[in-house]
Amino acid sequence: MLQKLLYLITFGITLLLYLFLNGNIQFTSDPIPPLGKFMSPFSGAWTSDTRSEHASFDLHINGLKDKVEIMYDEHHIPHIFAQNMEDALFAQGYTDAQNRLFQMEFLSKLAAGELSSFIGPKTLNLDRDRRRRGMKYAAENAVKGWENQPNYDRLLRYIDGINTYIKSLHPKDYPVEYKLFNIHPEEWTPLKTALIFKQMSLTLAGRNEDISSTNLVNILGKETFEFLYPIHQNIENAVIPTERPYQFDTLYGSFQDTSGFLDKPILKTYYEGRAKGVGSNSWGLSGSKTTTGKPIFCNDPHLSLTLPSIWIEAHLRTPEFNAYGVSFPGFPGIMIGFNEYIAWGETNVSQDVEDLFRIDWANKERTKYMLDGKEQDVTLRYEEIKIKGQKSLIDTIKYTYWGPIYHTSDDGSMDLAMRWICHDVPDTDEFNTFIDAMTCKNYDEYLASTARFISPAQNFGAASKDGDIGMRVNGRFPAKRNEDGRFVEEGNNSKNNWQDWIPRDQNPQIRNPERGFISSANQVSADKTYPYYYNGKFERYRNASINQKLSEISKASPEDMKKMQYNDVSLKAAQFVSMLKNTIQSDDIHVDLRDLYSKLTTWDFSYKADKVEPIILEKFVDTLHAITWDEINLLRKEMDVKYPDDWRLLELIENDPTNAFFDIKSTPKSENAQDIVLRAITYTLQDVANQISKSDKVTWGQYKPLNIFHVTRLPALSEMNIPADGCADAINATAIGFGPSWRMVISLEDKPKGMGVYPGGQSGNPASKYYKNMIADWLNGNYHSLNIDATATDLHKSAHSIIQLNPEK
Amino acid sequence: MKPLILILIIAILTYLFSMFLPWWISGVVAFIVCYFFKPGHFTAFTASLLAVFGVWLIKSYFADSNFDIPMSSILSKILGDMPTSSVFFLTGLIGGIPAGMAGLLGNWTRIFSNQK
């Protein structure tokens, strides 16, 4: 009997052990990998598809029109030689999947709010946010619009390429992350490509300051609010300088007037601010300013730095075009790159195209709301969020005339619906923008090709070897009336909605300006004379540094432009230090701190990893804000607020030193700007001196190291704590997890030449030598040449992998 | 039956079947072999454990060089910064221990089925 009992217990333990090691049962809320399956040397982490790194093979593909050759060069960049566009896109899909399959799957699930299905409850809040925001709804709408477009087949060919690769995989070939999370690749669909596109739209156009602005305008009053948070800056280098007065009739004449914004603050919200660091630089020089006499085009988008990188490099060549550059894995074409005629790229426009409206409920159940005096029903969308190891969570999202209800308050008094441009069903083949760009032969063709792009709006810049340079604030923009979308508005009046779109020819744009350059770095799109109102969050210092440098250039070489992209001097630092010198005397500083203070005042404002001055400056600015805006800070517990911009604080210190905001409420004394500045710098110097006394490693690189996280944020697959030069306000805009995610310089000579680099590697396989091989070069400001001239004959000799795709007979 | 031969049989069968069947096939092999070869509890457990431990350890050692960067160094980080060499040992244990249990059960099951 005892024997039998023991036997049964052993049997049970063995069974449980196997189920646990196979990932069928979990003992913890955070799932752990299926260790048996994962560690098996026959099919687990020890095996995965590495054919692209050393093997050559032939495939027969149904639906292929002609032969295609894919050849990987020494940087593991695929060179695709096809006979037509469709086959080239098929091969791009195939190589994107070959190198970045897990990343693509992860990003599409991140956008859809489906991470918890394999990561567990840790990502539940993130998933809920994506569902509330209607990311999948936006992607479904995108596909609805795309399907009816004439070039939809191109997208399908790209997707076929991805699926051909997926189908070729045996479970033992899956990338290591699939095995770690115990999932398998799912079939790729247009929806997934749309999700990746929407994820990028969220990063670039998914933000607003409506809530903090509404709160502050209510608490401070309109006059003070305008004083502290003006829409336009006092000094502006607009993306598109005004060459002559704007001479078009706006659409405003046909608009009807509407009510204003909410008259009370919004207490406690879900809304999360945006990390500082997302942005981009782009500029182009006309031939008159270059050593070659031909234009140079440069672009470095500052997006999150991840492993694998958000960019993948590729070269696509057919008898009709020859293009080279980068794109997002999962999205066809070349987003930033060049061909034999033109070079192109983008920076973010940063205008606000996401507005919030308060819902006026018509019943207690909050299923009906008022709009234009009539009751309307909400549409319910059930979101089932699968959570690994737990029961699914069902979230019911209410959709209104405006869009989904994003913020909900317990009592229903402040339910805010979101009107976001990225939810709209597109009426163009916007997915084709970066496919068509590859074939453009001049700037006019480029303008025509990018006119289909809707959102996230970008400053599309280009230069051609005919000598053109040009830039257009490109995308679809609502023709907002004065202050539309700056604050939360009442949702019971449809006239508060955007009433029309600005015609594309009224978007600010410029071509071959007299100053000899075009440039953009997320600053205001156009100056105050532009007839349409717009608001947003705009950059102040980087763009000024760039324009100053470009104005001073007489003849620049591509090498000079490369150095400029790596420039880490901050104009913000220069202005704050200059203010310091004008406001206080060094005698005011405690004698023990004077050495440190003089370091700061004699600094060249470069954010080098081994310097201490950047730490002092950044801490000083933070402290200065905190002391000055103590009144605003006190509100934080109850509501979302924001500080005025750095430049506004600086301006106030210089022009209005006795302003009441400089008085610290908690002290009996009445402080002025000078008191505040002295207090802030003394506190900061003391703080930094304390740190130095404790450690000899007080440097910018140690204080704000760069982290390049794996997309899942697993430390084991990430590259962390990298001391790096640069800061968000410098041209080399590295900032914790953000930075120049791709640096590119193209010289538009008769045979265009390019160089570029990104902080990662082409392969998504952490055990590949191409996983992060470019990080060191990127850190040191080195580039590799973008080999657009590579021929099939050359590559036949040097490629480490050659894949021949043949049409199936 | 000599334990060494038992180890050899389990190891060879594990290696062959694992080429195309899921990882847990080593347990099935250990169970069946120990069922038919009547080794006794202790031998069944240790022979199964050692056989699969050995196969997984050696196989992972060779699989390590399938990659440019040794997979063991990546796995050592994923598994919480363990020394790289112990990754192979751990791989062996993860394969070996459940197989040992399965071998023991195989032997035991035969005893019970003979009693009936």
Side-chain angles (χ1 to χ4, degrees):
Chain A
M1 191 60 205
L2 182 67
Q3 275 273 326
K4 267 198 176 158
L5 192 66
L6 275 174
Y7 172 78
L8 285 174
I9 290 170
T10 314
F11 184 85
I13 291 172
T14 309
L15 190 68
L16 283 175
L17 187 62
Y18 269 98
L19 289 173
F20 170 69
L21 293 174
N22 199 45
N24 302 82
I25 47 168
Q26 287 287 339
F27 298 112
T28 52
S29 68
D30 273 345
I32 41 176
L35 282 172
K37 206 171 171 181
F38 180 66
M39 295 297 280
S40 162
F42 294 93
S43 54
W46 299 94
T47 66
S48 68
D49 178 30
T50 57
R51 283 173 301 169
S52 72
E53 284 161 39
H54 51 73
S56 295
F57 53 94
D58 286 17
L59 292 174
H60 292 270
I61 310 287
N62 194 6
L64 208 65
K65 290 184 188 162
D66 218 317
K67 276 191 175 182
V68 181
E69 263 190 323
I70 301 167
M71 289 181 266
Y72 281 98
D73 72 11
E74 75 266 33
H75 303 292
H76 201 59
I77 292 153
H79 296 262
I80 294 166
F81 294 86
Q83 296 305 313
N84 56 71
M85 175 66 89
E86 285 71 22
D87 288 354
L89 293 173
F90 176 92
Q92 193 188 18
Y94 186 86
T95 53
D96 280 359
Q98 219 179 5
N99 292 295
R100 302 289 184 83
L101 188 59
F102 178 77
Q103 176 192 17
M104 289 158 58
E105 185 110 31
F106 183 88
L107 289 178
S108 72
K109 287 192 184 299
L110 166 69
E114 293 173 357
L115 291 183
S116 305
S117 66
F118 66 96
I119 293 184
K122 240 190 323 202
T123 47
L124 186 57
N125 281 339
L126 190 63
D127 282 346
R128 286 193 70 181
D129 178 83
R130 296 298 188 273
R131 306 286 180 120
R132 283 186 167 265
R133 192 171 247 291
M135 289 288 282
K136 204 169 182 180
Y137 166 76
E140 284 164 6
N141 279 350
V143 175
K144 250 185 238 169
W146 295 352
E147 294 178 322
N148 304 318
Q149 299 297 328
N151 286 309
Y152 189 57
D153 190 48
R154 288 177 164 183
L155 181 62
L156 295 182
R157 291 311 294 148
Y158 172 80
I159 288 168
D160 270 356
I162 299 174
N163 284 326
T164 299
Y165 177 71
I166 293 175
K167 281 183 205 134
S168 77
L169 295 179
H170 185 274
K172 75 176 167 48
D173 301 325
Y174 296 162
V176 63
E177 298 96 328
Y178 281 100
K179 292 164 179 162
L180 194 59
F181 291 107
N182 202 14
I183 53 174
H184 57 84
E186 287 166 19
E187 190 188 0
W188 199 261
T189 57
L191 181 69
K192 290 191 173 194
T193 288
L195 280 164
I196 285 186
F197 191 52
K198 294 298 167 187
Q199 179 58 30
M200 198 34 63
S201 307
L202 175 61
T203 307
L204 297 169
R207 54 179 187 250
N208 67 73
E209 297 189 334
D210 298 14
I211 292 177
S212 57
S213 297
T214 306
N215 294 342
L216 286 163
V217 79
N218 276 294
I219 303 274
L220 303 172
K222 187 81 163 96
E223 199 182 331
T224 311
F225 179 77
E226 289 298 345
F227 178 73
L228 296 179
Y229 306 92
I231 288 179
H232 279 275
Q233 305 175 2
N234 61 340
I235 302 166
E236 288 181 329
N237 288 287
V239 170
I240 308 298
T242 309
E243 294 185 304
R244 50 189 166 278
Y246 289 99
Q247 283 176 327
F248 54 75
D249 293 329
T250 64
L251 300 168
Y252 289 153
S254 58
F255 288 2
Q256 298 177 39
D257 223 9
T258 59
S259 68
F261 48 85
L262 294 198
D263 55 7
K264 53 186 166 190
I266 298 147
L267 303 179
K268 285 186 187 166
T269 68
Y270 300 122
Y271 198 79
E272 283 171 45
R274 179 178 69 105
K276 192 176 182 183
V278 175
S280 306
N281 302 324
S282 171
W283 63 83
L285 288 177
S286 78
S288 63
K289 279 174 99 69
T290 66
T291 50
T292 57
K294 291 286 197 170
I296 297 180
F297 182 79
C298 311
N299 194 186
D300 56 292
H302 315 148
L303 298 170
S304 42
L305 303 182
T306 57
L307 282 172
S309 166
I310 63 164
W311 299 108
I312 188 163
E313 221 172 307
H315 176 207
L316 289 83
R317 187 169 193 159
T318 73
E320 291 101 58
F321 71 91
N322 181 17
Y324 191 114
V326 291
S327 65
F328 298 145
F331 205 84
I334 297 288
M335 288 187 175
I336 300 175
F338 68 121
N339 60 24
E340 289 171 337
Y341 304 92
I342 66 164
W344 65 92
E346 303 88 33
T347 60
N348 198 29
V349 166
S350 312
Q351 287 189 28
D352 174 13
V353 284
E354 180 185 277
D355 292 341
L356 297 175
F357 296 87
R358 191 183 73 102
I359 295 303
D360 183 6
W361 293 115
N363 63 355
K364 261 200 286 186
E365 296 73 33
R366 288 186 245 169
T367 53
K368 289 177 191 295
Y369 63 100
M370 298 306 294
L371 185 72
D372 300 335
K374 284 185 207 132
E375 283 186 11
Q376 303 280 339
D377 289 315
V378 295
T379 310
L380 300 178
R381 187 177 159 112
Y382 296 97
E383 297 281 356
E384 183 189 0
I385 308 179
K386 291 193 177 125
I387 311 163
K388 176 139 188 169
Q390 291 187 10
K391 236 176 71 187
S392 294
L393 182 117
I394 310 281
D395 206 354
T396 309
I397 315 292
K398 292 172 183 168
Y399 279 71
T400 65
Y401 161 79
W402 306 98
I405 292 184
Y406 185 50
H407 298 283
T408 315
S409 65
D410 292 340
D411 61 357
S413 64
M414 276 298 173
D415 286 355
L416 307 181
M418 178 188 281
R419 171 79 184 96
W420 189 31
I421 197 166
C422 301
H423 284 141
D424 295 5
V425 177
D427 54 3
T428 70
D429 56 342
E430 53 177 353
F431 61 84
N432 199 24
T433 311
F434 305 107
I435 298 174
D436 215 50
M438 299 193 289
T439 66
C440 294
K441 293 193 163 62
N442 54 51
Y443 187 61
D444 287 312
E445 285 187 19
Y446 180 72
L447 281 179
S449 145
T450 54
R452 50 168 65 85
F453 192 77
I454 298 175
S455 198
Q458 302 290 300
N459 302 304
F460 277 64
S464 75
K465 72 176 187 187
D466 316 337
D468 278 329
I469 55 171
M471 187 169 279
R472 174 164 64 184
V473 179
N474 192 40
R476 187 166 287 172
F477 299 96
K480 292 182 171 185
R481 284 144 307 135
N482 204 17
E483 300 211 307
D484 248 357
R486 192 178 185 194
F487 307 103
V488 178
E489 290 180 78
E490 291 292 355
N492 55 12
N493 184 349
S494 67
K495 306 221 171 50
N496 285 344
N497 199 359
W498 309 333
Q499 296 186 28
D500 208 341
W501 307 110
I502 298 177
R504 201 159 300 237
D505 59 5
Q506 295 185 355
N507 285 356
Q509 51 187 304
I510 199 162
R511 184 170 182 165
N512 301 325
E514 241 169 66
R515 62 178 184 177
F517 67 86
I518 51 165
S519 90
S520 65
N522 320 106
Q523 70 270 41
V524 289
S525 308
D527 67 14
K528 290 174 194 167
T529 63
Y530 181 61
Y532 287 101
Y533 166 85
Y534 66 91
N535 65 321
K537 182 88 179 147
F538 301 108
E539 206 277 334
R540 164 82 172 196
Y541 298 105
R542 251 186 307 121
N543 71 78
S545 303
I546 293 169
N547 281 11
Q548 192 189 340
K549 283 187 183 303
L550 295 178
S551 310
E552 286 164 5
I553 281 171
S554 56
K555 296 280 175 200
S557 67
E559 208 55 34
D560 296 331
M561 295 294 91
K562 182 174 135 182
K563 282 192 196 117
M564 188 168 146
Q565 284 186 331
Y566 195 60
N567 184 292
D568 52 28
V569 172
S570 159
L571 181 62
K572 178 178 109 179
Q575 292 184 357
F576 270 89
V577 170
S578 152
M579 176 275 288
L580 252 180
K581 288 198 222 165
N582 294 337
T583 314
I584 57 169
Q585 305 297 319
S586 55
D587 296 351
D588 300 337
I589 304 285
H590 190 278
V591 66
D592 294 349
L593 300 172
R594 261 179 228 165
D595 278 354
L596 208 51
Y597 181 68
S598 89
K599 257 193 165 182
L600 182 68
T601 50
T602 53
W603 173 38
D604 63 358
F605 316 118
S606 73
Y607 278 61
K608 292 265 183 290
D610 60 0
K611 291 200 176 208
V612 68
E613 294 90 330
I615 307 179
I616 308 176
L617 195 281
E618 294 297 320
K619 278 184 176 255
F620 167 61
V621 175
D622 286 350
T623 312
L624 202 55
H625 273 295
I627 306 181
T628 310
W629 313 120
D630 53 333
E631 299 85 345
I632 295 172
N633 221 0
L634 286 173
L635 300 170
R636 264 183 217 284
K637 271 179 239 149
E638 292 179 325
M639 63 186 79
D640 189 18
V641 290
K642 59 181 175 180
Y643 286 155
D645 286 328
D646 295 332
W647 64 269
R648 189 69 190 115
L649 173 59
L650 208 51
E651 206 173 47
L652 219 57
I653 293 171
E654 284 169 348
N655 303 337
D656 193 1
T658 55
N659 189 290
F661 276 101
F662 290 119
D663 182 28
I664 304 171
K665 294 280 178 237
S666 58
T667 63
K669 195 186 157 208
S670 172
E671 288 88 355
N672 61 23
Q674 197 183 2
D675 299 325
I676 297 285
V677 171
L678 185 61
R679 204 176 162 128
I681 191 67
T682 305
Y683 173 84
T684 307
L685 290 170
Q686 190 64 60
D687 184 21
V688 175
N690 283 347
Q691 286 182 37
I692 294 173
S693 69
K694 281 183 219 147
S695 153
D696 53 355
K697 280 187 179 170
V698 183
T699 58
W700 178 240
Q702 299 278 341
Y703 177 70
K704 279 214 171 153
L706 196 63
N707 290 322
I708 308 182
F709 277 108
H710 182 260
V711 285
T712 61
R713 295 186 85 81
L714 278 173
L717 306 180
S718 308
E719 196 68 6
M720 279 148 67
N721 297 317
I722 312 166
D725 299 343
C727 70
D729 302 297
I731 301 177
N732 182 10
T734 55
I736 311 177
F738 295 92
S741 54
W742 164 243
R743 292 192 187 113
M744 180 184 87
V745 175
I746 309 291
S747 175
L748 279 302
E749 295 162 49
D750 290 337
K751 271 193 162 215
K753 290 187 190 122
M755 51 184 166
V757 71
Y758 66 83
Q762 287 283 94
S763 170
N765 175 4
S768 161
K769 64 180 169 197
Y770 306 110
Y771 179 61
K772 51 185 181 187
N773 56 318
M774 295 198 266
I775 293 180
D777 273 342
W778 178 85
L779 272 174
N780 296 315
N782 299 328
Y783 297 52
H784 60 258
S785 66
L786 310 181
N787 198 359
I788 196 170
D789 299 324
T791 62
T793 328
D794 293 342
L795 286 161
H796 270 285
K797 289 176 210 146
S798 60
H800 56 246
S801 167
I802 300 175
I803 304 164
Q804 306 256 11
L805 308 179
N806 303 299
E808 200 152 70
K809 280 171 195 153
Chain B
M1 164 156 291
K2 290 237 171 74
L4 210 61
I5 297 172
L6 195 68
I7 291 174
L8 223 71
I9 293 172
I10 295 172
I12 291 169
L13 291 177
T14 291
Y15 185 84
L16 288 178
F17 286 123
S18 296
M19 303 294 260
F20 52 92
L21 289 169
W23 73 276
W24 43 257
I25 196 63
S26 51
V28 178
V29 167
F31 184 96
I32 294 173
V33 171
C34 292
Y35 184 96
F36 286 108
F37 287 84
K38 311 171 186 174
H41 281 353
F42 179 76
T43 313
F45 180 78
T46 43
S48 304
L49 189 151
L50 287 174
V52 178
F53 174 86
V55 169
W56 277 40
L57 184 124
I58 293 165
K59 177 73 181 168
S60 64
Y61 182 78
F62 283 102
D64 203 28
S65 55
N66 284 346
F67 302 93
D68 303 331
I69 293 162
M71 185 46 91
S72 53
S73 69
I74 310 280
L75 288 175
S76 80
K77 282 194 241 163
I78 292 179
L79 299 166
D81 282 326
M82 57 164 53
T84 305
S85 54
S86 57
V87 172
F88 302 108
F89 189 76
L90 181 76
T91 303
L93 280 185
I94 288 175
I97 289 173
M101 298 290 284
L104 171 69
L105 273 179
N107 186 57
W108 213 338
T109 308
R110 185 216 352 114
I111 294 172
F112 280 130
S113 52
N114 285 355
Q115 280 171 356
K116 275 173 198 166

